[in-house]
Amino acid sequence: MVLRTPHVARLLTGALLGRLPSGMAPLALVLWAAQTTGSVAFGGLLSAVYVLASALVQPVKGRLLDRYGCVRTIGPPAAVHAGCLGLLVYGPGAGRLSATVAVVLAGACTPPLETSLRTLWPALLACPEQQRTALGIDIGSQGLLYVAGPLLTSALAAAHGPAAAVAATGLASLAGTLLVLTSPFHRRRAAPAPVPRGGPAAPLPTRDLVTLYLALTGTGAAIGSMNVWAVSAADSLHWPVLSGLVPAAFSASAFLGGLAYGRGARREVPLRTLRLSAAAFCAGWIPLACLDGPHPGVGAVAAVTVPGLFLTPVVGSAFLALGRRTPACRANEVNAWLVQSMGVGSAIGSLVAGSLAGQPAAGAIVPAAGAAATLVCLALGAGPGSARPGPPG
């Protein structure tokens, strides 16, 4: 079993713990700002700049990972991230400008654990089938962070105040990073991959990368708009719990889809899997867009489980399709671009769905539109490589 392979369970656990702030920080910052400044709008601004700052610097972090390795690239940002959040809530009194600067720095310094972990699977697991299984567990588990994160944040804020929730966000990132970096695997493998004899690889972004970047931006938009639509629908239906049930059902379904993806065909053709999964992901949103009946809330929870099943195959096959044609010395940077695309797409989807907050029926169409954009990008772009399987790893 993959999780019994040396170092895998520890690295996956540490990476998930270190990435928990992605599910905690947006809500924690809103709650903190609402309590300290009385402005939920300012909290929304802090949440948005944290997410965007984290997403936009991903390629820079990826390049640093390729050049300096994990130990020197992940540790210092994690310390700065935790320090900025700690100063924000426990430092001397500050105005809105200084608070915004602290949040931007914290977001920009989120440790690139997701990028580095997906680059490490070939080094940890020699068998391509095991790599696929690990990638499925990795991507599928990530969705659970967006369920556990808000729940943990709400519990901490209720028990100890929003400041404690913000501080815990930084501590979770730091603890996860330490768990990863103190692994015996990293102590033995601190050096980055060597640059090929011909010199550095071709400059990024390549045409293949642009195609997948735009495709995954649409996928991220579908997810981000779903989360905002759930809040709008909960208010419209006077069923507050729906705002949590919809993303929870989607994330649980994505986790199950990840397990199924990891146990899939041994000789996968990533590009073919990507196109088929993207088509199923797009079609899966149609029931939500056409939702009607005596119990629309229950129907919405059931409807989002369908596209959730295909999220991991879409994202996983995109990473595999490009990763198999990327030299090891650029693997982190390429993965970082794809991670960024999901974050940017989520922000775009949230913005569009937010503008339709008073119209739940119209907002329900946005996730399908984002998924359709993924299909269009894959159809118009050449795609990474040909349809035949690439070399393992």
Side-chain angles (χ1 to χ4, degrees):
M1 186 177 180
V2 168
L3 292 178
R4 293 177 183 172
T5 303
H7 314 302
V8 169
R10 175 171 181 161
L11 290 174
L12 181 59
T13 301
L16 289 174
L17 176 61
R19 286 146 58 188
L20 188 59
S22 61
M24 294 180 64
L27 177 59
L29 291 170
V30 171
L31 295 176
W32 175 80
Q35 182 188 65
T36 56
T37 69
S39 173
V40 175
F42 180 60
L45 173 65
L46 293 182
S47 177
V49 299
Y50 177 91
V51 173
L52 285 176
S54 178
L56 293 177
V57 299
Q58 286 292 338
V60 176
K61 296 175 187 176
R63 189 146 206 174
L64 292 174
L65 278 168
D66 287 327
R67 184 169 184 178
Y68 298 109
C70 291
V71 175
R72 287 189 287 174
T73 305
I74 295 178
V80 174
H81 175 264
C84 286
L85 292 179
L87 286 174
L88 174 69
V89 295
Y90 295 124
R96 294 191 177 192
L97 178 60
S98 57
T100 303
V101 171
V103 171
V104 169
L105 286 175
C109 291
T110 52
L113 294 168
E114 180 179 358
T115 296
S116 63
L117 184 65
R118 290 179 189 170
T119 307
L120 289 177
W121 290 133
L124 285 163
L125 303 162
C127 175
E129 289 75 30
Q130 290 182 324
Q131 294 172 24
R132 174 191 169 114
T133 300
L135 186 61
I137 296 173
D138 174 16
I139 297 173
S141 300
Q142 181 172 323
L144 300 179
L145 300 178
Y146 296 96
V147 179
L151 290 176
L152 179 59
T153 299
S154 299
L156 286 171
H160 305 288
V166 174
T169 298
L171 292 177
S173 174
L174 194 58
T177 301
L178 289 174
L179 189 60
V180 168
L181 295 185
T182 55
S183 165
F185 174 80
H186 274 303
R187 289 201 296 269
R188 293 200 306 267
R189 188 180 179 272
V195 177
R197 286 187 177 180
L204 296 176
T206 62
R207 181 179 179 181
D208 293 345
L209 179 56
V210 170
T211 296
L212 290 183
Y213 184 98
L214 294 175
L216 290 190
T217 298
T219 303
I223 300 171
S225 60
M226 174 201 67
N227 291 328
V228 175
W229 173 85
V231 176
S232 175
D235 181 64
S236 175
L237 297 173
H238 306 291
W239 191 21
V241 73
L242 184 64
S243 61
L245 284 178
V246 167
F250 180 85
S251 298
S253 178
F255 178 70
L256 295 177
L259 296 180
Y261 173 74
R263 300 173 65 87
R266 294 189 175 185
R267 294 295 296 170
E268 178 190 11
V269 181
L271 183 56
R272 183 184 304 158
T273 302
L274 173 58
R275 287 172 173 162
L276 292 174
S277 301
F281 183 68
C282 181
W285 289 108
I286 295 176
L288 182 67
C290 302
L291 194 64
D292 196 7
H295 304 289
V298 175
V301 174
V304 297
T305 62
V306 180
L309 290 172
F310 298 99
L311 174 64
T312 300
V314 170
V315 178
S317 56
F319 274 90
L320 287 178
L322 197 55
R324 291 185 178 184
R325 308 182 68 84
T326 301
C329 65
R330 303 298 292 277
N332 283 294
E333 186 178 357
V334 166
N335 284 343
W337 277 100
L338 296 185
V339 170
Q340 184 198 59
S341 68
M342 295 287 290
V344 171
S346 180
I348 293 173
S350 299
L351 180 64
V352 174
S355 67
L356 300 171
Q359 309 171 58
I365 300 174
V366 181
T374 296
L375 267 182
V376 171
C377 291
L378 293 175
L380 297 180
S386 64
R388 61 182 182 277

